[in-house]
Structures are given as structure tokens and as C-alpha cells.
């Protein structure tokens, strides 16, 4: 379903945190569920996850009329919870309630060349696409850098994003590298790293030294991996020492902001009711909290292969938008029978659609139930956001202490 695209994170796998955000600009639908949320639900069991409402990002394009943001924040969190994002597994919060994102954004802006931001493809693309809006603002240019701050504030290892956002994660990596290069060289770094190695004990220090040389002198990547594993397994060294040793291992300075990797979420296989991409602006969606009768009606009135005017006209599933839904909701063996029935005109389209109706309703019913609990008791949602924000701030604060120190902002 989803694929991991690269493995060049500077954080070992089991320490990797996952950070992702979504802009609050409207109700979520089944396209979001199959494209993004199902993936989040899966990730929350494997990693420490931070999922947040990117309200500042929404402001970059909706600054003239922010009312939609206000409306959507709560509704979107309810949609996440309805889809199965679990606040005891993942930290769920609102970006603007963690001001550390803004502080880090400001600090990173000092070292980010303008040209890096100007050449991010979404900058020009979105300006072209959203012609009715004036996006020649400072905030919009900085959109991907704010995203970098979102990610680096938690020293995340993996960032689940769609194709269009991969360039933003790439920028994040470049900014992190630049930051570490500029500020990771503390005075006496090498001596500090050597004495940190000694704290692992004589045997481990020696092993570390040997692996480090194998990597640096012979480019032995296996040695690098082994050394990383060695560092991970150390219980008795401080976080600062661990970072020094990770940095020293690769020949750089201290790694204050590790480079994350994009976890590419493949485009949703779920098209809209008319076969185009599912999107509110095409009016072809089934929302996560759609009334079951309404959902059923929408599926029953979906267009099919236009060749099937009458029941006796044979059709071709490849030309039918319903068929993509079958790929999600119908078993392979049933699909075979339906395809056969379509081609030989032995079944009608409404019969064919029944298993999609069943599948969609089965998916929607538990979501509606979960959502209902939260719409009836808005305080539940407020508490979740409050607690998630508290935990997120704690982590982000920790990062900022190091960032300020590295930049010499401790007086
Ligand atoms: N820009 C992302 C989008 O439009 C949302 C986002 C904001 C995000 N900050 C992030 C995603 C940090 C991942 C990590 O989808
Ligand atoms: Fe589409 Fe099924 Fe009708 Fe064939 S029978 S056109 S696949 S809805």
C-alpha cells in the first residue's frame, strides 16, 4: 500500500519519530482515508507519532478569510479520531499551540538561502494554480521552511507525505545539514567526542574507533551501521554525547538536527464518484461522516461504462469508475465473477454495485459511531488536543534548548 522510499536518515530505525500535518481546509472524505489516514493509523502502532493540524500553513493561502480554518480545526480532528487515529498512541495537536515551531522557523530562516525556497516546485505551481489569491507573500514563500521547522522540532526520522510534498522534506534535509554544519562544531568537538567514546567502556570505545576508521577510510557502510547499532545500545551515555558520537562517526560535527526522510504515501487508489480524483471541488466525494443512506444513493447513481445503456448491453469494467471501488471493497474472486457478468451482460449495474455499497457502509458505520461520541462531547476533543499539545511542546522545547545553545542564544 505504502512504500518507504529511502533509507538515508541519520537516525536509527527504532528511534525514528513520525511527524505529519494536515491543513484544516474542509471536511475529510474517503479519499483522505485511503490516501493518508489509514497510513497514519498503521504508523501509530509502529512509531512514536506526532500528528498535527497545520493551521499556520492553512493561513498562508487563506489569510484573507481564515474563518474556514476556525471551522475545520475541530471537525478535522474529529475526522482523524473517527478514522481510528488514537490519542493514546499518537500525539494529536494544533500547530499554533506549539510556538516552538515558529521560533525554530525564525531561526532556520536566518540560514536558509532565498534561492532554496524560490526553487521549491510548489512555490510557483501553487501560485499558478491559485491565481485568484495573492500568494506573493513572505509567509507563502516560507511555507516549506515552516514545514521544516514542524519536522525538525521533533527530530523526526520519517515524514509521511504525498508526492507533492517530497521536495519539502528534501529542503528540510538540506536545512538540517546546513544547520549542523554551521553550529555542530562546538569548540573542542573532537576531544569531547573522544572522551564520550571512553564513557562506553574500553572495549566499546575501541570497537567504535575501529568501525569509525573503517567507514571514514574505506567507506565501509556495514561498519557505519554496526557502529550506529553500538551507539543505540548504550544506556549510560547522555543524549548530547550520543549525538556527538553519531556526528563524529560520519566525520561531521554534532548532529543537532537529524535529517528526516520522506515516507512516500502513494496516491490514493480511491477515485471520486465520477472517476476523477476525489475532491470537494469536483463535488464527487463521500465524506467520512456521510449518512449511510446518502452514501448508498451516491454509489447507486454513480456513472458506469456508458456502453451499458440497457441491461442487455455488455460492458467493460476497465471503462467503469465503479471498478476502482471494487478494487478496494470487493474480494478478488467476487471481482472475477462481476467482471464476467459485466462483459456478458448477465448482471445489471445495480447488482454489481451492491458489494461496493456494502463495503463502503461497513467502513463508514464505525467511523460515524466514533465521530458521534466526539461531536456530542466537544470537551473530549479539546482535552485530547490539550494533552497532545502539552506532550508535543515538551519535546519541541527540548530541541529548542539545544538549538539555542548551538546558535549561541543562551545569555
Ligand atoms: N504541507 C503539508 C500538506 O499540505 C502539511 C504539513 C505541514 C506537513 N507541516 C507538515 C506535512 C510537516 C508533513 C510534515 O500536506
Ligand atoms: Fe460498471 Fe459493474 Fe456496470 Fe460493469 S456491471 S459497467 S463494472 S457497474
Amino acid at each position: 500500500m505504502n512504500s518507504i522510499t529511502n533509507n538515508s536518515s541519520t537516525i536509527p530505525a527504532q528511534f525514528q519519530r513520525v511527524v505529519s500535518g494536515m491543513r484544516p481546509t474542509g471536511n475529510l472524505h474517503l479519499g483522505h482515508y485511503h490516501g493518508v489516514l489509514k497510513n497514519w493509523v498503521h504508523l501509530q502502532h509502529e512509531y512514536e507519532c506526532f500528528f498535527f493540524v497545520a493551521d499556520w500553513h492553512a493561513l498562508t493561502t487563506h489569510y484573507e478569510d481564515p474563518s474556514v480554518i476556525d471551522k475545520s480545526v475541530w471537525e478535522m480532528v474529529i475526522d482523524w479520531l473517527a478514522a481510528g487515529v488514537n490519542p493514546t498512541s499518537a500525539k494529536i495537536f494544533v500547530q499554533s499551540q506549539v510556538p516552538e515551531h515558529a521560533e525554530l522557523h525564525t531561526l532556520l530562516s536566518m540560514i536558509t538561502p532565498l534561492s532554496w525556497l524560490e526553487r521549491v516546485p510548489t512555490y510557483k505551481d501553487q501560485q499558478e494554480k491559485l491565481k485568484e489569491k495573492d500568494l506573493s507573500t513572505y509567509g507563502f514563500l516560507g511555507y516549506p521552511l515552516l514545514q521544516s521547522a514542524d519536522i525538525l522540532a521533533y527530530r523526526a526520522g520519517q515524514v509521511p507525505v504525498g508526492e507533492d510534498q517530497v521536495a519539502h522534506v528534501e529542503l528540510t534535509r538540506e536545512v538540517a545539514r546546513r544547520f549542523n554544519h554551521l553550529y555542530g562544531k562546538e569548540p573542542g568537538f573532537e576531544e569531547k567526542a573522544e572522551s564520550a567514546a571512553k564513557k562506553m567502556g574500553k572495549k566499546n570505545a575501541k570497537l567504535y574507533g575501529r568501525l569509525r576508521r573503517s567507514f571514514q577510510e574505506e567507506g565501509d557502510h556495514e561498519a557505519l551501521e554496526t557502529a550506529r547499532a553500538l551507539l543505540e545500545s548504550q544506556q549510560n551515555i547522555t543524549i548530547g554525547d550520543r549525538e556527538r558520537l553519531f556526528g563524529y562517526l560520519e566525520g561531521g560535527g554534532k548532529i543537532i538536527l537529524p535529517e528526516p526522510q520522506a515516507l512516500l504515501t502513494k496516491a490514493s487508489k480511491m477515485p471520486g464518484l465520477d472517476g476523477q480524483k476525489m475532491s470537494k471541488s469536483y463535488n464527487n466525494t463521500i465524506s467520512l461522516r456521510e449518512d449511510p443512506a446518502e452514501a448508498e444513493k451516491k454509489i447507486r447513481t454513480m456513472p458506469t461504462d456508458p456502453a451499458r445503456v440497457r441491461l442487455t448491453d455488455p460492458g467493460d469494467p476497465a471503462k467503469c469508475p465503479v471498478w476502482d471501488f471494487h478494487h478496494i471493497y470487493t474480494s478478488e474472486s467476487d471481482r472475477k465473477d462481476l467482471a464476467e457478468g459485466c462483459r456478458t451482460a448477465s448482471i445489471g449495474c445495480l447488482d454489481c454495485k451492491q458489494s461496493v455499497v456494502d463495503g463502503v457502509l461497513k467502513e463508514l458505520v464505525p467511523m460515524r459511531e466514533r465521530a458521534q461520541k466526539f461531536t456530542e462531547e466537544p470537551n473530549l476533543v479539546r482535552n485530547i488536543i490539550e494533552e497532545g499539545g502539552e506532550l508535543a511542546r515538551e519535546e519541541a522545547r527540548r530541541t529548542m534548548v539545544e538549538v539555542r545553545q548551538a546558535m549561541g542564544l543562551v545569555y
Side-chain angles (χ1 to χ4, degrees):
M1 177 188 44
N2 298 298
S3 59
I4 296 172
T5 44
N6 70 64
N7 51 16
S8 49
S9 164
T10 45
I11 312 174
Q14 55 272 56
F15 288 141
Q16 290 193 359
R17 288 204 179 125
V18 168
V19 169
S20 202
M22 209 186 272
R23 283 170 300 157
T25 49
N27 277 31
L28 302 188
H29 50 63
L30 284 179
H32 295 112
Y33 178 67
H34 287 277
V36 181
L37 292 173
K38 228 164 63 178
N39 193 220
W40 283 14
V41 170
H42 171 74
L43 287 167
Q44 72 186 354
H45 300 302
E46 314 248 312
Y47 299 99
E48 186 182 5
C49 288
F50 295 76
F51 297 135
F52 66 93
V53 180
D55 55 344
W56 282 334
H57 277 105
L59 261 187
T60 63
T61 48
H62 290 65
Y63 60 89
E64 285 185 87
D65 180 16
S67 60
V68 56
I69 301 175
D70 179 30
K71 274 203 295 277
S72 304
V73 169
W74 301 110
E75 294 303 310
M76 191 166 81
V77 173
I78 292 176
D79 283 340
W80 292 358
L81 296 167
V85 179
N86 184 340
T88 57
S89 310
K91 294 166 190 69
I92 303 176
F93 60 99
V94 176
Q95 183 185 37
S96 64
Q97 295 180 351
V98 186
E100 282 75 9
H101 292 222
E103 182 186 357
L104 187 53
H105 179 212
T106 299
L107 295 180
L108 295 177
S109 78
M110 307 301 168
I111 65 165
T112 305
L114 260 187
S115 61
W116 289 12
L117 293 172
E118 284 161 346
R119 72 165 192 236
V120 172
T122 45
Y123 180 55
K124 293 231 162 61
D125 290 355
Q126 291 294 100
Q127 281 190 334
E128 282 288 307
K129 217 171 129 197
L130 304 173
K131 273 222 169 74
E132 73 284 3
K133 297 187 176 172
D134 180 2
L135 296 181
S136 49
T137 57
Y138 178 54
F140 188 70
L141 178 67
Y143 182 112
L145 191 64
L146 177 59
Q147 187 163 348
S148 301
D150 297 336
I151 297 165
L152 296 174
Y154 303 99
R155 300 190 246 207
Q158 307 195 68
V159 187
V161 285
E163 190 82 68
D164 62 321
Q165 300 284 311
V166 172
H168 296 179
V169 180
E170 203 44 56
L171 172 82
T172 306
R173 293 169 63 85
E174 280 166 18
V175 171
R177 211 174 302 146
R178 185 164 165 86
F179 186 94
N180 295 327
H181 176 74
L182 288 170
Y183 307 116
K185 293 261 188 322
E186 30 177 13
F189 174 70
E190 290 182 9
E191 293 73 27
K192 280 188 183 158
E194 290 289 349
S195 82
K198 292 209 182 86
K199 290 180 197 155
M200 297 192 290
K202 219 170 176 178
K203 216 174 98 207
N204 284 336
K206 229 166 140 184
L207 176 60
Y208 171 83
R210 205 171 62 232
L211 293 166
R212 178 175 169 267
R213 278 191 301 279
S214 296
F215 172 64
Q216 292 194 3
E217 290 164 19
E218 291 145 44
D220 182 348
H221 280 267
E222 223 164 279
L224 176 65
E225 284 311 315
T226 315
R228 280 181 176 166
L230 173 72
L231 294 179
E232 282 156 34
S233 70
Q234 297 305 308
Q235 316 263 317
N236 298 326
I237 55 175
T238 62
I239 296 177
D241 274 344
R242 196 197 298 276
E243 282 161 0
R244 275 181 202 104
L245 289 169
F246 272 118
Y248 192 48
L249 185 59
E250 293 179 62
K254 187 172 162 186
I255 295 173
I256 300 154
L257 298 176
E259 290 174 41
Q261 58 186 0
L263 187 58
L264 185 66
T265 313
K266 281 205 194 124
S268 165
K269 289 203 190 74
M270 180 109 194
L273 293 161
D274 54 0
Q276 299 187 76
K277 181 180 150 76
M278 189 179 274
S279 160
K280 212 174 51 181
S281 48
Y282 299 146
N283 199 15
N284 62 0
T285 66
I286 297 178
S287 83
L288 289 193
R289 289 185 257 160
E290 190 89 42
D291 172 64
E294 188 60 28
E296 178 161 0
K297 195 168 116 204
K298 282 184 172 179
I299 297 164
R300 286 174 159 266
T301 52
M302 270 178 82
T304 60
D305 177 357
R308 295 209 71 184
V309 183
R310 270 165 306 225
L311 200 60
T312 49
D313 296 328
D316 177 0
K319 294 183 182 147
C320 176
V322 179
W323 201 246
D324 292 313
F325 282 67
H326 278 306
H327 276 282
I328 297 175
Y329 295 107
T330 306
S331 72
E332 199 180 331
S333 69
D334 286 354
R335 237 166 32 223
K336 242 171 118 188
D337 295 342
L338 293 174
E340 172 75 15
C342 175
R343 289 195 192 96
T344 57
S346 62
I347 56 164
C349 288
L350 282 180
D351 299 327
C352 177
K353 286 171 170 177
Q354 191 57 46
S355 94
V356 170
V357 171
D358 295 343
V360 168
L361 293 189
K362 196 165 151 221
E363 199 165 73
L364 287 183
V365 167
M367 290 203 232
R368 271 174 65 89
E369 276 170 16
R370 275 194 292 259
Q372 196 184 354
K373 185 175 92 191
F374 294 114
T375 35
E376 282 168 6
E377 281 191 71
N379 268 338
L380 285 178
V381 186
R382 282 180 195 276
N383 289 342
I384 287 169
I385 292 294
E386 182 107 3
E387 278 166 33
E390 201 52 62
L391 295 169
R393 267 193 305 277
E394 217 171 276
E395 281 313 322
R397 258 188 228 131
R398 229 172 261 162
T399 305
M400 291 317 296
V401 167
E402 294 221 18
V403 165
R404 285 188 217 115
Q405 198 165 28
M407 293 181 87
L409 300 170
V410 185
Y411 310 110

